[in-house]
Amino acid sequence: YGDNLHVLRDRAHFPDACVDLIYLDPPFNSKRDYNLLFKSPKGQSSEAQIEAFKDSWSWGEQAEREFDEIIKGKNTALAQMMRSFRSFLGQNDMMAYLTMMANRLLELHRVLKPTGSLYLHCDPTASHYLKIVLDSVFGPENYQNEIIWKRTSAHSGSKRWGPVHDTILFVSKSEEHVWNNVFQTYDEKYVESFYRHHDDKGRFRVGDLTGAGTRTGESGQPWRGVNPTPAGRHWAVPNKILVEKFGAKCSAWSVQEKLDALDKEGLIHWPVKGKMPGFKRYLNRDAGVAIVDVITDVDVIGAQAAERLGYPTQKPLALLERIISASSNEGDVVLDPFCGCGTAVHAAQKLKRKWIGIDITHLAISLIEKRLKDAFKSSAKFEIYGTPKDLDAARDLARRDKYQFQWWAVSLVEAQPFQGKKKGADGGIDGIKFFRDLDKKDVRKLVVSVKGGENLKADDIRSLMAVREREGAEIAVFLSLEEPTRGMKSDAASAGFYESPNGKKFPRVQLLTIGDLLEGKARAEHPDYEPDLNFKKAKAEASGKQGELL
């Protein structure tokens, strides 16, 4: 957890050249606010949604400070380019966005290994500027591809062509970057068009058995009544196929003998006797077709898709699997410095890579933690840095950012954060949790209130009791850094119990301290006969052996 610029500059965690592959899907500067949508049981309103991030930027003190760092830095090419950008763009939101990105790309270049690559996911709003920034940081000679991902089939545009794609800029640290050939499934239209012939071995297309240029040697002599020379050609035998079929001994054969051997194996296609034959290239559906820089076979995640976890800019797992497979090997380290809901780290874990994810909100960190546990169970072993591990760290977070503290604290009882940063909008509620009892009838509700400061008072509990009744919640949970007073405990006890059909009783108002939750001494008590009622659950993955932790 943390601002990725500060995290990346911590050389204890990120020494030079420690990462094999970087994928980043930063905010696009789209001028929109994105909400994180939580699962809502049938019959309950979907009011529990939180602003995941603001995708808008403005020039201010922070932008000025980061711009100054770039200008005074060692990369003079980038410094000169950023001065040019500022002269052209002025001090506006786009300039603030590019400054933020440039500073982070410098650190990402530092931590990338010489054999490493970086994929920057963006949209046409800023891709042309970002390409120039990448050239300044990585060198134009290390630019590899502009990859187009068609993320939707239709999108209306006002007086322009409908925007239906994202851009992924692919650069490497050097010409020695890792590359693995990755194949995608053949398109059926392609198969119908090119593999038009059939025999008892399957579908095939016809390839040339000749090469350009007339030769007077053996390869220019007639075979089976067909002379390639008048057409300005000569026989060109696919030696790789011959070696696979007959071994190294075929290298000593004459061209005529090689052609005879292929014909005997049924690998020669004769359209008409006496006409130029061809070589049968059979369809291997397992091999597929090599990936290209226009991706049309990976669909965006639909609103009702099982893969969707509620994060607003979530990318398909298949897209990240393709990138990671192409540009890294098993055991390599994959870094996503804007990891959001964790699709990149999920794909890395699935493909047996090591991984690091960074995000600036506790919402994202807790979402990824749950996603990995759901998908990989105990086989995914990881550590979380930056989130409070003890009471002092929790107090520090509460002082620095009360909203991040509230969202983190609510996650300790596995509740959804409620509303967001709108003043007075929460109505005394910081979190909400649904549960189903033994009777499996109506969904019940639990509300959470978080107190990050000192000076707890009895009114805090009385207010929470009123909120519980107003919201029709069966249980209310009060989370605090400090130990509740005797009077608060007395007021909470006076609220009585919620009784389950099996006779078990749960306090209506529960007072829990952050310290006890961190140490595992306490938990929110309620019936739980339908798990995964509050968060969408990631599909379980088959997992192999994982290497050591970073």
Side-chain angles (χ1 to χ4, degrees):
Y1 163 77
D3 183 327
N4 53 26
L5 182 61
H6 301 152
V7 174
L8 288 166
R9 286 176 172 172
D10 179 359
R11 292 180 181 245
H13 283 116
F14 288 92
D16 293 349
C18 62
V19 171
D20 296 281
L21 172 63
I22 298 169
Y23 168 85
L24 61 157
D25 180 17
F28 286 1
N29 197 33
S30 64
K31 312 292 191 299
R32 294 174 58 189
D33 296 347
Y34 289 92
N35 286 347
L36 177 59
L37 307 176
F38 292 97
K39 186 175 179 181
S40 183
K42 186 176 180 180
Q44 298 290 332
S45 62
S46 58
E47 57 197 352
Q49 51 181 280
I50 291 289
E51 183 184 274
F53 61 89
K54 284 181 177 289
D55 188 8
S56 56
W57 308 88
S58 59
W59 192 267
E61 182 181 343
Q62 181 62 29
E64 189 70 59
R65 183 180 294 109
E66 290 198 22
F67 181 83
D68 186 62
E69 290 177 356
I70 295 170
I71 299 305
K72 295 178 180 177
K74 295 179 181 179
N75 189 320
T76 55
L78 179 62
Q80 184 177 353
M81 185 56 64
M82 294 303 289
R83 286 193 188 97
S84 300
F85 275 148
R86 187 167 182 175
S87 176
F88 172 63
L89 294 171
Q91 297 175 185
N92 59 11
D93 51 359
M94 180 58 76
M95 190 62 211
Y97 176 71
L98 293 173
T99 300
M100 180 276 293
M101 286 300 301
N103 234 347
R104 285 152 180 79
L105 287 169
L106 282 171
E107 288 300 322
L108 292 172
H109 179 269
R110 179 185 67 79
V111 304
L112 194 61
K113 292 180 181 178
T115 53
S117 298
L118 178 143
Y119 288 78
L120 171 53
H121 196 134
C122 52
D123 74 356
T125 304
S127 60
H128 48 308
Y129 296 124
L130 290 170
K131 168 66 168 61
I132 298 173
V133 173
L134 285 170
D135 282 349
S136 300
V137 175
F138 285 81
E141 70 278 6
N142 290 317
Y143 169 74
Q144 301 298 332
N145 278 104
E146 178 182 13
I147 302 164
I148 300 300
W149 172 46
K150 185 182 178 185
R151 54 178 169 75
T152 183
S153 297
H155 195 292
S156 60
S158 177
K159 294 186 178 181
R160 64 169 180 159
W161 299 57
V164 297
H165 80 275
D166 282 356
T167 298
I168 304 173
L169 300 173
F170 167 30
V171 297
S172 64
K173 186 76 172 278
S174 74
E175 63 179 13
E176 303 300 323
H177 63 282
V178 170
W179 179 256
N180 301 310
N181 289 320
V182 175
F183 299 91
Q184 63 192 72
T185 305
Y186 282 113
D187 181 84
E188 286 303 318
K189 291 182 180 178
Y190 173 85
V191 172
E192 293 292 335
S193 297
F194 290 92
Y195 290 84
R196 299 191 301 269
H197 304 281
H198 300 261
D199 64 13
D200 57 353
K201 295 180 182 178
R203 300 184 72 120
F204 65 90
R205 62 185 177 91
V206 179
D208 284 336
L209 267 175
T210 61
T214 302
R215 294 184 182 176
T216 58
E218 186 191 6
S219 65
Q221 300 303 309
W223 175 69
R224 302 284 176 93
V226 179
N227 187 356
T229 304
R233 311 283 290 180
H234 66 275
W235 297 115
V237 182
N239 286 310
K240 182 179 179 182
I241 300 296
L242 280 165
V243 172
E244 290 175 356
K245 287 282 184 182
F246 305 106
K249 64 181 181 180
C250 67
S251 60
W253 296 350
S254 69
V255 171
Q256 303 281 325
E257 288 174 326
K258 291 177 180 178
L259 289 169
D260 287 339
L262 289 173
D263 198 23
K264 186 176 181 181
E265 287 292 317
L267 296 175
I268 303 294
H269 176 67
W270 293 92
V272 178
K273 188 175 182 181
K275 297 293 184 180
M276 188 66 70
F279 176 68
K280 293 181 181 180
R281 296 187 180 276
Y282 286 92
L283 174 65
N284 181 354
R285 288 188 178 273
D286 293 334
V289 62
I291 54 174
V292 295
D293 63 3
V294 177
I295 301 174
T296 59
D297 63 326
V298 177
D299 294 330
V300 72
I301 305 171
Q304 303 303 318
E307 187 179 333
R308 178 165 288 284
L309 299 177
Y311 202 82
T313 57
Q314 182 178 348
K315 300 302 184 292
L317 190 62
L319 180 65
L320 272 300
E321 288 178 1
R322 185 168 299 179
I323 289 171
I324 291 171
S325 296
S327 290
S328 69
N329 297 312
E330 286 190 15
D332 283 353
V333 180
V334 178
L335 167 64
D336 183 350
F338 294 88
C339 61
C341 67
T343 303
V345 300
H346 183 145
Q349 175 74 24
K350 183 177 179 181
L351 295 173
K352 300 180 182 178
R353 274 67 168 168
K354 301 175 186 178
W355 50 262
I356 307 167
I358 308 170
D359 204 273
I360 200 169
T361 74
H362 284 288
L363 290 171
I365 300 301
S366 59
L367 185 65
I368 296 169
E369 183 178 10
K370 183 179 187 303
R371 177 178 188 169
L372 291 169
K373 288 178 179 178
D374 287 342
F376 300 100
K377 311 303 181 192
S378 60
S379 68
K381 294 178 174 60
F382 54 90
E383 296 178 20
I384 300 176
Y385 296 89
T387 57
K389 298 292 192 300
D390 55 40
L391 206 51
D392 287 340
R395 290 193 178 100
D396 179 63
L397 177 59
R399 284 192 295 269
R400 287 186 287 111
D401 191 323
K402 74 171 185 177
Y403 293 108
Q404 292 293 339
F405 171 75
Q406 288 173 359
W407 295 340
W408 167 77
V410 163
S411 74
L412 295 178
V413 293
E414 299 180 332
Q416 303 173 3
F418 187 80
Q419 295 295 350
K421 297 182 180 180
K422 296 178 181 178
K423 189 174 181 179
D426 58 15
I429 304 174
D430 296 309
I432 191 168
K433 189 175 186 179
F434 300 102
F435 66 89
R436 202 182 293 278
D437 208 336
L438 187 63
D439 54 16
K440 296 290 183 76
K441 290 182 180 178
D442 297 332
V443 172
R444 275 79 165 183
K445 188 188 296 185
L446 178 154
V447 293
V448 182
S449 178
V450 179
K451 186 72 171 179
E454 300 176 355
N455 302 320
L456 300 182
K457 51 188 184 299
D459 282 347
D460 294 330
I461 303 305
R462 294 168 191 152
S463 297
L464 180 60
M465 292 167 69
V467 167
R468 184 193 68 79
E469 293 181 4
R470 183 194 73 207
E471 296 296 320
E474 298 293 350
I475 295 171
V477 174
F478 184 80
L479 304 181
S480 62
L481 285 168
E482 307 303 324
E483 184 71 24
T485 66
R486 183 180 299 177
M488 294 170 72
K489 293 178 181 178
S490 177
D491 284 340
S494 69
F497 296 90
Y498 165 78
E499 186 171 350
S500 177
N502 64 3
K504 187 173 181 179
K505 295 181 178 181
F506 303 87
R508 290 274 189 192
V509 177
Q510 301 175 21
L511 311 185
L512 307 177
T513 66
I514 299 296
D516 284 348
L517 289 169
L518 286 172
E519 294 176 15
K521 296 179 179 178
R523 60 184 297 273
E525 300 290 342
H526 60 84
D528 191 14
Y529 290 98
E530 187 176 334
D532 309 312
L533 201 59
N534 294 274
F535 299 91
K536 291 201 70 174
K537 186 174 183 178
K539 178 184 176 182
E541 300 279 6
S543 59
K545 183 179 179 181
Q546 183 189 2
E548 71 275 11
L549 283 169
L550 290 173

